[in-house]
Amino acid sequence: MSAIRLAATVVGAAVTLTRHPVVQAGILAVASNPKARETAVNVTRLAAYNAGVVARHLVGRRLP
């Protein structure tokens, strides 16, 4: 499976998951709690960074 197709599948699954009522209630609960919101932001940033690291390892640094 190509990297683009895999990324599209992950994004589609994430969008589908966020439409679930229980997930939406959890998001609202976290948004109303400042400490939980800060933790969620930090975890999201760390996950995005780690995803970028994995992508660089898989794709490589093909700069012209």
Side-chain angles (χ1 to χ4, degrees):
M1 183 180 284
S2 72
I4 293 173
R5 180 171 279 189
L6 180 62
T9 303
V10 169
V11 168
V15 168
T16 302
L17 183 65
T18 58
R19 291 183 181 159
H20 193 280
V22 174
V23 174
Q24 288 179 348
I27 291 171
L28 288 175
V30 168
S32 65
N33 183 342
K35 179 70 174 167
R37 182 177 33 216
E38 180 183 348
T39 301
V41 167
N42 289 337
V43 167
T44 303
R45 286 181 180 158
L46 182 62
Y49 175 79
N50 288 337
V53 169
V54 169
R56 280 193 304 274
H57 283 296
L58 292 176
V59 176
R61 296 179 189 236
R62 291 186 260 169
L63 297 176

